Amino acid sequence: MNPLFFALTPADVERELAQRLRAARRTQGWTQAEIARRSGLSLATVARLERTGQGQISSLTRLCGALDRLTDFEGVLTPAPPTTLDALGPPADEQTR
């Protein structure tokens, strides 16, 4: 993991997502109006997300669906690995007794 990641603020992440969303749309050769139509969102919502990175999670997922990028969410909020033996829980053979 990039050590600079820990220095990010929520605002930094929002700006980065806005830039990535804009870049993904432009890679498709779509205007904001086109991705709004394809995602079922308003043009104002698309413009705000691309400008500020702020909006509803449902709006972001609809845009990613239109871009065929929903699998990009697979790594978001994955369960953290256990850090202690107690966190692992009992061995499998003890769980079935």
Side-chain angles (χ1 to χ4, degrees):
M1 182 179 301
N2 183 339
L4 293 177
F5 177 76
F6 294 108
L8 292 177
T9 66
D12 294 332
V13 174
E14 290 167 358
R15 279 190 297 275
E16 180 65 24
L17 282 173
Q19 291 171 1
R20 290 181 185 189
L21 182 59
R22 185 180 312 108
R25 174 184 58 78
R26 288 178 174 170
T27 297
Q28 294 292 324
W30 295 344
T31 62
Q32 287 181 338
E34 178 63 16
I35 197 168
R37 184 188 67 77
R38 289 173 180 259
S39 64
L41 298 171
S42 71
L43 178 57
T45 296
V46 172
R48 184 183 67 251
L49 279 167
E50 286 192 5
R51 186 177 62 256
T52 68
Q54 296 178 354
Q56 295 182 354
I57 291 172
S58 60
S59 297
L60 179 61
T61 58
R62 288 172 73 172
L63 290 169
C64 288
L67 291 163
D68 197 26
R69 300 284 300 267
L70 285 174
T71 57
D72 289 5
F73 289 99
E74 288 179 356
V76 175
L77 297 175
T78 58
T83 57
T84 66
L85 289 175
D86 289 337
L88 286 172
D93 62 333
E94 289 183 23
Q95 291 177 359
T96 58
R97 291 184 192 178

